[in-house]
Amino acid sequence: MKNPIKRYFPIFVMPTLLAFAVAFLIPFVLGFILSFTEFRTVSDATFVGLENYIIALRDDSTFLPSLWFTVKFAVVSVITINVIAFLLALMLTRTVPGTSLFRTVFFMPNLIGGIVLGYIWQVIINGVLYNFNYSITSNANFGFWGLIILMNWQMIGYMMIIYIAGIQNIPTDILEAARVDGAGALTILRKITIPSVMPSITICLFLTITNSFKLFDQNLALTAGAPANKTQMVALDIYNTFYSRTGFEGVGQAKAVIFFIIVAIIALAQLKFTRGKEVES
């Protein structure tokens, strides 16, 4: 059986490789090249060297503030999402009536599209703030915590399912042996549960970090119109630079490359750190 599989493997994998090349690899390489040019269309690009990157890194009116806003948002959302999702997973892996229903209810927000979700939460949050003569765009803090609430509401159920899968894979005989030896709930959690679900923690941290950094449609729908773009995240700033400022297409492309490098470094560092923890455990 192995020889036929090896023989026909290139044929089976070819459609996936072609789709990856057309949808990601070729646009990525072309975008990287265009970041060193001034262009309106792909065919009229003029090489300008590092000028676009210099302009992007000196843009302290939109790009650098949006990058700092995105970093703060990512740190808070990653912590809150994973802590709450893990606690919910612990509760819903016990023999409690209705656990299947609760899992479904918590997971359902992940199925709603970002734009729709943003407008729904804009109505909800403004409905509360209007009572105090405010709106979500009145203050950058309102927009920040509104995005945190939205991100948590959408992602917690998805991360919870991954944590549940990891917890359910822990051998029951190990847990029973720990209880027989007198280990309490906190000891079991610290010494057995958390080390055993490190692969799930790795996946959840990676997903929440990348999703937090690349948030776009929810940011556009929820906090559009905020004063001085104080709630604008990096992905939205890149979009506005590319499509709203004539002659800045190359700068927008340079911002996109810088953003990709930052996210890639953070994701790789996180994966290396969590993999090291898995080896230790």
Side-chain angles (χ1 to χ4, degrees):
M1 290 294 295
K2 291 183 179 180
N3 289 333
I5 291 175
K6 290 181 179 180
R7 185 182 309 164
Y8 295 107
F9 178 77
I11 298 176
F12 292 127
V13 79
M14 186 61 66
T16 302
L17 291 178
L18 287 175
F20 176 76
V22 172
F24 176 78
L25 190 59
I26 295 175
F28 175 79
V29 173
L30 183 59
F32 180 75
I33 294 172
L34 289 173
S35 68
F36 297 96
T37 67
E38 181 180 345
F39 67 97
R40 296 291 178 84
T41 63
V42 177
S43 59
D44 67 349
T46 303
F47 183 76
V48 294
L50 296 175
E51 182 179 342
N52 292 331
Y53 288 91
I54 295 172
I55 295 173
L57 293 174
R58 289 179 177 176
D59 184 4
D60 55 1
S61 61
T62 59
F63 182 61
L64 296 181
S66 66
L67 181 60
W68 175 237
F69 184 86
T70 304
V71 170
K72 292 189 295 183
F73 170 81
V75 170
V76 176
S77 60
V78 166
I79 294 173
T80 54
I81 289 171
N82 284 281
V83 170
I84 297 173
F86 184 74
L87 293 176
L88 287 174
L90 286 175
M91 289 188 291
L92 295 179
T93 48
R94 298 178 179 179
T95 55
V96 178
T99 53
S100 298
L101 175 62
F102 286 121
R103 292 178 190 179
T104 304
V105 171
F106 284 128
F107 181 77
M108 285 180 64
N110 189 68
L111 304 177
I112 303 176
I115 290 289
V116 176
L117 196 61
Y119 282 121
I120 290 173
W121 275 100
Q122 185 187 71
V123 172
I124 295 172
I125 295 172
N126 281 335
V128 175
L129 293 177
Y130 284 160
N131 295 320
F132 305 94
N133 297 320
Y134 289 107
S135 71
I136 195 169
T137 58
S138 300
N139 189 300
N141 289 327
F142 295 156
F144 177 82
W145 289 108
L147 287 167
I148 292 294
I149 293 171
L150 185 154
M151 189 71 172
N152 275 260
W153 193 77
Q154 185 181 29
M155 296 292 296
I156 281 175
Y158 187 25
M159 300 302 110
M160 178 196 70
I161 296 298
I162 298 175
Y163 283 126
I164 287 174
I167 293 171
Q168 289 180 334
N169 282 330
I170 300 175
T172 56
D173 55 345
I174 296 178
L175 299 175
E176 291 173 359
R179 294 190 186 100
V180 169
D181 290 339
L186 290 178
T187 303
I188 292 174
L189 176 65
R190 187 166 55 91
K191 296 291 187 179
I192 298 176
T193 304
I194 292 178
S196 298
V197 299
M198 279 307 299
S200 297
I201 293 175
T202 300
I203 295 171
C204 290
L205 285 177
F206 178 79
L207 290 175
T208 49
I209 288 172
T210 53
N211 278 284
S212 297
F213 271 93
K214 68 182 184 181
L215 196 72
F216 170 75
D217 43 1
Q218 295 94 326
N219 184 207
L220 176 64
L222 185 66
T223 63
N229 296 320
K230 289 184 178 180
T231 58
Q232 181 173 267
M233 300 179 72
V234 175
L236 183 57
D237 175 63
I238 293 170
Y239 175 85
N240 289 332
T241 302
F242 200 93
Y243 291 104
S244 301
R245 301 174 66 181
T246 304
F248 279 77
E249 291 83 0
V251 178
Q253 196 63 52
K255 288 181 179 180
V257 173
I258 294 171
F259 184 44
F260 170 82
I261 293 172
I262 292 172
V263 175
I265 291 173
I266 293 173
L268 291 174
Q270 176 264 321
L271 285 173
K272 184 176 180 180
F273 174 77
T274 50
R275 288 291 172 81
K277 290 294 184 180
E278 288 179 32
V279 172
E280 291 177 6
S281 59

